[in-house]
Amino acid sequence: MKSIFWKYCNDTLGWALIHSPGPISVIAKGVALVFDDIREDIFWLQDQLNPLACEELYLPTHGATRGIPQHPLESTDQYRKRVVKAYAWHRQGGKAEGMPKILEHYGYEGCTFYNCRKDDDARWAEFKAQIPVPEHGLEANDYSLVTWAVQETKPARSKLAALQTHSAMQGAVDASGTLLLCSVVTLEPEKPKEALLIVTISSGCGLHTITTTSLG
């Protein structure tokens, strides 16, 4: 690639002395190459001041200045988007309507929230996060990331009572019936070392399986 500054000196300025071999031509080419390096350094520095274009090494610094810490389970791409949109992140935080959008940012679409006040007036500040299970399923890290995201962005006076996941699958069993499998898993915030698993199976014209796992 031809030097940008040399091309400027040669084509635009049209200095007569640099068109023929000699000390002036050598100096002009050398200075042009130095200016090219300086130009690239300026562009590199400009990128490092922009969280959208900076190297991964400098991303936590941008996040710290914006009050956006990175979760250990958060990918670099997810974290970069949060840092770039720090204003929108803080604006959505602390609002019930902002939590579904924030969870969608992490790939958990269609999340809803259930107010425990519907069951008990004394639990007016408590809520349950209901997470649809994606096709690839959910792992322990998913529950940890969802819990952190909800805790970080929920209204200040509210309290996360539990995480609930739900999934449904329907398929043909034979010519006279269908199989409907549903499961609901509830995870309480305080996690003991033991879990109670209750399975209820009923049969009729179809088979319904409801699994409830409570950690609390």
Side-chain angles (χ1 to χ4, degrees):
M1 180 179 178
K2 184 180 290 187
S3 167
I4 294 177
F5 279 95
W6 171 251
K7 185 177 181 181
Y8 172 76
C9 294
N10 185 72
D11 299 344
T12 304
L13 296 182
W15 290 352
L17 293 177
I18 66 175
H19 288 286
S20 59
I24 300 299
S25 177
V26 172
I27 293 175
K29 288 183 178 180
V31 171
L33 292 175
V34 172
F35 282 177
D36 282 341
D37 291 340
I38 294 175
R39 174 179 176 273
E40 293 300 321
D41 290 341
I42 292 174
F43 286 155
W44 178 86
L45 179 60
Q46 184 180 25
D47 287 341
Q48 306 321 305
L49 298 176
N50 180 4
L52 183 61
C54 73
E55 296 179 1
E56 183 178 345
L57 175 65
Y58 301 104
L59 193 55
T61 302
H62 286 289
T65 60
R66 292 163 171 78
I68 304 291
Q70 183 176 10
H71 189 272
L73 299 175
E74 188 174 21
S75 69
T76 301
D77 182 61
Q78 290 173 334
Y79 183 52
R80 187 184 297 274
K81 289 179 180 179
R82 281 208 303 133
V83 173
V84 172
K85 300 180 180 180
Y87 176 77
W89 175 268
H90 288 302
R91 185 177 181 182
Q92 290 178 353
K95 299 179 181 178
E97 58 271 19
M99 289 190 291
K101 297 180 180 178
I102 291 172
L103 288 175
E104 185 176 348
H105 164 77
Y106 290 107
Y108 306 103
E109 299 182 359
C111 298
T112 57
F113 298 87
Y114 180 80
N115 192 334
C116 295
R117 184 177 185 177
K118 298 178 181 179
D119 302 326
D120 185 354
D121 290 340
R123 302 179 64 187
W124 60 271
E126 299 182 32
F127 68 94
K128 297 178 182 179
Q130 300 172 328
I131 317 297
V133 179
E135 293 183 359
H136 62 272
L138 293 174
E139 300 179 354
N141 287 344
D142 292 300
Y143 293 108
S144 177
L145 183 59
V146 169
T147 300
W148 170 80
V150 171
Q151 295 283 22
E152 282 286 311
T153 56
K154 67 178 180 62
R157 298 183 64 184
S158 62
K159 178 181 178 182
L160 176 61
L163 288 181
Q164 290 184 329
T165 61
H166 56 86
S167 61
M169 180 179 63
Q170 184 171 346
V173 177
D174 52 39
S176 60
T178 59
L179 171 65
L180 179 63
L181 175 63
C182 299
S183 64
V184 177
V185 179
T186 301
L187 299 180
E188 303 293 342
E190 295 78 13
K191 300 180 179 179
K193 296 182 179 180
E194 298 180 357
L196 176 62
L197 179 64
I198 302 176
V199 179
T200 302
I201 300 177
S202 59
S203 62
C205 61
L207 172 62
H208 299 267
T209 301
I210 299 178
T211 301
T212 302
T213 302
S214 298
L215 300 178

